[in-house]
Amino acid sequence: MVTTESVARPRPSDPADRRLWDIAATVVDPEVPVLTIEDLGILRSVRTTGAGVVVEITPTYSGCPAVDAIRDDITTALKGSGIENVAVNVVLAPAWTTDWMSQAGRDKLDEYGIAPPAPRRSDGVVGLGLGIRCPHCGSLHTRETSHFGSTSCKALYVCLRCQEPFDYFKGH
Amino acid sequence: MSHSKHVVSTAITAETIAESHLVAPEAVALYALGLGDDALILAQRLGEWIAHAPELEEDVALGNIGLDQLGHARSFLTYAGTAWNKSEDDLAYFRTESEFRNRHIFEQPNGDFAVTIARQFFVSLYFDRLYRALKESTDPTLAAIAAKATKEVDYHLDHSVQWLLRLGLGTTVSHEKMQRAVDAIWPFVGELFSPEAALRDLDDGVGVRPELLRESFEEDARRRILDAGLKVPTAPFARGGGRDGIHTEVFGHLLAEMQVLARAHPGATW
């Protein structure tokens, strides 16, 4: 499915909120530190209210333990820019999908040694099951060793050409 | 047709719910409490496998599945707690055995790996049917929790089905153990579809009446058991009573382990 950038990264149009968004957007995922929360598509909104700045994030998976660390990091980043009252809310709807990951994020993941998620299609067209590309040698001759990996969002793969194991950020 | 529930931001943390003054109606809270307890107790059982699974990949897999279940439990319990001014931790750590509402299949001991797979197979198939229906709930919080959970339960079901096939169609020993495991868990399957008392006072469309999931569940369960070369059990179902706070003898031990730290050091964080 082609997801428009405006859904994946709803950056505010108000200039003041936009500046705050850009500060929050620098926070990285503690489990995958090459990705920012903006790259992942888990930063959902930033707005100024009478009581302070309210930031909304969404978890990749329901039990993702990185959420607490990300919440603290956003608060720290905004306080570093002089914002005193920061509330970071976790929202569940709409549910996150790997389709919200930016192209820059996908490229960074690949360089980091994690195979980026394959696009998901919801238009009813069944994609041909091409192999997941090995981030080390580029071979498509790879095999899933476990659907569950070091974090909720990853699966374990092994490359049958270079024999190296690698993580795959699974399409979700 | 309104799409508002798909774009509404639904708060799930205790702090945000308190700030938003979102309060679950009593009957909705009771319903969410039951669903939350099911997920919480399953997560606790799955956590017992950490460092004990037959291979490293399974340690990781069962841990991940348990973590997803814990995520669902936290959402449901936080939402339920708004009705009684209780946090998710109050509900998880400071209720007694008879105050828990989980159905019995979730508290059943892990047994050997085959027993855990049999339990995972039945409950994942049940969750798949339940959450697919619940994501259409007219209650936006329940709908959001279910929509999120549906995507995760897909993996859980796939995991247990692959093992069911592998063990059922594997060696003579694995086949016998898988059959024994399916037979052992089967009596607890019936309770999953007993009526939810909390839904009696609610309009249709808020919760999912489990009776309505039974046919599709049984059809799929039978087909997959037969695909794995196993026999569909014919034993009668056990009595149940989890939603009324009646539990099997194993439950007190589970609770003791789950709650001891929080009760010994109330309010501690780490």
Side-chain angles (χ1 to χ4, degrees):
Chain A
M1 186 175 79
V2 177
T3 308
T4 56
E5 274 294 299
S6 60
V7 175
R9 270 159 287 286
R11 195 163 168 250
S13 51
D14 176 81
D17 285 347
R18 196 175 259 259
R19 190 181 71 85
L20 298 171
W21 167 285
D22 291 342
I23 295 165
T26 61
V27 169
V28 297
D29 182 330
E31 301 281 7
V32 192
V34 291
L35 290 185
T36 68
I37 56 174
E38 186 185 40
D39 286 330
L40 269 166
I42 63 176
L43 179 60
R44 303 312 302 153
S45 78
V46 178
R47 64 178 188 277
T48 311
T49 69
V53 174
V54 178
V55 180
E56 289 183 326
I57 56 173
T58 194
T60 54
Y61 285 73
S62 299
C64 181
V67 165
D68 291 331
I70 291 170
R71 182 193 283 133
D72 291 347
D73 290 347
I74 292 172
T75 306
T76 306
L78 287 169
K79 287 199 170 165
S81 298
I83 311 294
E84 271 313 305
N85 294 313
V86 180
V88 182
N89 296 345
V90 179
V91 299
L92 285 185
W96 177 82
T97 159
T98 40
D99 289 337
W100 292 352
M101 193 184 291
S102 67
Q103 188 55 49
R106 288 167 197 270
D107 295 344
K108 283 190 276 185
L109 265 188
D110 198 44
E111 272 172 46
Y112 189 59
I114 298 174
R120 295 165 62 82
R121 308 186 64 140
S122 61
D123 55 5
V125 178
V126 177
L128 287 174
L130 278 182
I132 300 303
R133 186 174 161 279
C134 170
H136 305 299
C137 76
S139 171
L140 286 169
H141 194 37
T142 59
R143 185 171 67 82
E144 183 183 83
T145 47
S146 174
H147 205 69
F148 298 89
S150 53
T151 64
S152 303
C153 52
K154 285 178 267 168
L156 289 175
Y157 269 70
V158 63
C159 177
L160 300 177
R161 192 173 83 175
C162 73
Q163 307 294 323
E164 287 290 326
F166 65 92
D167 272 341
Y168 165 55
F169 203 114
K170 57 197 179 202
H172 186 73
Chain B
M1 192 171 97
S2 164
H3 287 83
S4 61
K5 81 174 180 211
H6 296 298
V7 292
V8 74
S9 293
T10 308
I12 54 161
T13 64
E15 301 83 7
T16 19
I17 287 171
E19 279 164 22
S20 67
H21 305 291
L22 174 67
V23 175
E26 178 78 15
V28 176
L30 282 171
Y31 178 60
L33 184 71
L35 300 186
D37 283 350
D38 287 347
L40 176 67
I41 300 307
L42 181 62
Q44 178 69 17
R45 280 292 185 220
L46 288 170
E48 291 172 9
W49 272 109
I50 306 287
H52 296 283
E55 57 188 38
L56 182 61
E57 286 78 6
E58 276 314 300
D59 231 69
V60 173
L62 294 170
N64 265 289
I65 294 170
L67 190 61
D68 287 341
Q69 291 295 334
L70 188 63
H72 308 161
R74 293 187 59 189
S75 298
F76 283 125
L77 293 182
T78 298
Y79 186 42
T82 60
W84 313 300
N85 201 22
K86 300 238 186 245
S87 72
E88 49 176 319
D89 283 357
D90 293 336
L91 292 174
Y93 294 131
F94 297 98
R95 277 182 298 155
T96 59
E97 192 174 335
S98 60
E99 292 171 304
F100 273 83
R101 291 289 177 266
N102 57 286
R103 298 184 191 270
H104 293 177
I105 192 168
F106 301 99
E107 68 196 42
Q108 291 313 301
N110 287 333
D112 61 18
F113 185 66
V115 171
T116 290
I117 290 302
R119 191 186 62 204
Q120 277 305 111
F121 167 64
F122 288 121
V123 302
S124 302
L125 188 56
Y126 159 77
F127 280 138
D128 174 76
R129 296 302 189 270
L130 171 69
Y131 292 147
R132 274 174 200 279
L134 190 62
K135 70 183 183 185
E136 307 302 330
S137 169
T138 53
D139 181 291
T141 304
L142 292 178
I145 298 169
K148 187 85 192 155
T150 302
K151 298 174 77 170
E152 295 159 7
V153 167
D154 268 357
Y155 297 133
H156 307 175
L157 181 57
D158 183 58
H159 171 263
S160 62
V161 167
Q162 296 305 323
W163 274 113
L164 186 75
L165 290 169
R166 218 168 136 185
L167 296 175
L169 300 172
T171 65
T172 313
V173 173
S174 77
H175 174 86
E176 280 172 10
K177 286 190 166 184
M178 197 63 243
Q179 183 69 59
R180 245 192 335 257
V182 167
D183 292 346
I185 296 296
W186 177 261
F188 302 101
V189 169
E191 187 195 7
L192 290 172
F193 304 99
S194 62
E196 292 272 11
L199 294 182
R200 273 200 301 257
D201 302 328
L202 288 170
D203 292 340
D204 278 346
V206 177
V208 175
R209 296 186 194 284
E211 310 90 289
L212 303 178
L213 305 174
R214 183 172 204 141
E215 194 179 328
S216 144
F217 171 95
E218 282 198 359
E219 194 184 307
D220 212 351
R222 279 172 196 282
R223 180 172 60 80
R224 291 177 189 273
I225 290 169
L226 294 174
D227 283 351
L230 300 164
K231 292 192 188 75
V232 179
T234 52
F237 290 132
R239 194 168 62 96
R243 284 284 191 269
D244 299 318
I246 298 163
H247 293 283
T248 58
E249 67 276 16
V250 295
F251 190 53
H253 299 279
L254 179 151
L255 274 195
E257 189 168 321
M258 187 175 84
Q259 297 180 330
V260 64
L261 195 65
R263 286 180 180 237
H265 306 279
T269 56
W270 59 90

